Amino acid sequence: SAVPDFVSPDQIRARFAAGLSALYRAEVPLYAALRDIVAAVEAEMAGGSDGGAVERHGAIRVGTPDEMRLVARLFAVMGLHPVGYYDLAPVGVPVHSTAFRPITAEALAINPLRVFTSLLRLDLVEDPALRAEAAAILARRTIVAPATLALVERAETAGGLTPGEAEAFIAGALDVFRWHGTARVDAATYQRLLGAHRLVADVVAFGGPHINHLTPHSRDIDRVQAEMAARGLPAKATIEGPPRRRVPILLRQTSFSAVAEAFVPAGADPATAPLRHTARFGEVEQRGAALTPAGRARYDACLAALREEGAAPEAAFAAFPDDFAALHAAGLAYARYVPTGRAGPAASLAEALARGLITAEPITYEDFLPVSAAGIFRSNLAEADQANATAVSSQAELEAAIGRPILDPFALYQAIAEASAAAALTALGCGLA
Ligand code: OOG
Ligand code: NI
């Protein structure tokens, strides 16, 4: 019997990502301006590719565990898997999150889009009446249309989608993340939800989990930041993450402040002026080397020095080697091991590295940073967020909602490092030590 001609999940994601970018540029014209800046900076750089500004990530927020499960199933069809657990409650944002992302180098190369996905924690809303009201409102909405859900089920049971099915699925998936210009709640309810937390209004008041930002990658985020200011975009005051370094590490991010978008509250007299909701923005990221748990601990310590002691960024990070060989030798960064082409005897990886038979190259960090994420949330949501350090974080709860385990980012980098070491040693004829 003929094997069905399925479209690969990576191809589905690539087409979904292109559609999402076009949709968001149309919905938030300032994002289109940011994307143009990123593309211009990229084109001006030495060795500039004409790849333009490809989105590396976006973000959505869902309201219930059932919605989390639904988007997880939708993302699985496009080759996105939950990686990393981010608890934002201790930093004042009532959500916990994961990133649905491609997990292999091949998949990332075909299309790098990942979606930072946050589940609202209504348990952190203090007023019990408002909490119950919000839960009831969420219980009455359907974020994935029945025809789209049928295609998700088809992909799950058949093992893939035909070209025609894939096209319909992509259109249906894009509909899930559109902006709804009409709220599902009246103006008074909107104001009450806003009073609890801007994020509560953002998640509960509308018809679905509208995409709240998209994020192209830049090889020079400082230039993009300067260019945003020069062109009058309302840029965030500071870049999140580590300072500029010779060897980039982890992730640096900046954004422009959320725009105020008109919407009509439920039951509103169309003659009255619309309300405005301020939640959606544009972001830029620059990625560097993935750090080991030891490297990450050192990063967190540098960040704490920066925040608590008010040190200048470069001073706070002075204790962090800014040389990849040193980072690797100190066990702070993961490495991909690549044969140099030189032959010679070596009994171990360390010896092959010392003799220059194998080189260690950075592995790009593909995940997120909770402190940075909180900074991004905060600059686009509200001024005064109440920290909730006592809230119990629960990866198990988020996994139960998703319906599968969340993958550990460190384990993924470790596996890449180990596989490359084995391949490099085999290529040298060393075998595994
Ligand atoms: C997600 C914020 C986190 C990032 O880049 O760290 C994030 C959100 O605002 O929903 O996207
Ligand atoms: Ni982001």
Side-chain angles (χ1 to χ4, degrees), residues 93-104:
V93 187
V95 301
H96 53 173
S97 319
T98 190
F100 289 93
R101 73 161 174 90
I103 53 177
T104 66

Side-chain angles (χ1 to χ4, degrees), residues 61 179-181 183 190-191 193-194 197-206 208 210 212 258-264 274-281 380-381:
R61 304 151 183 170
W179 172 247
H180 298 254
Y190 175 80
Q191 294 300 345
L193 296 169
L194 201 63
H197 196 294
R198 188 176 294 274
L199 189 112
V200 175
D202 187 56
V203 174
V204 177
F206 300 93
H210 41 253
N212 70 54
V259 296
E261 293 174 277
F263 73 96
V264 181
L275 293 183
R276 287 189 176 271
H277 181 67
T278 306
R280 307 206 302 160
F281 57 99
N380 290 292
L381 283 172

Side-chain angles (χ1 to χ4, degrees), residues 329-350:
L332 300 173
Y334 290 104
R336 187 190 312 278
Y337 301 100
V338 184
T340 59
R342 289 178 53 196
S348 66
L349 179 63

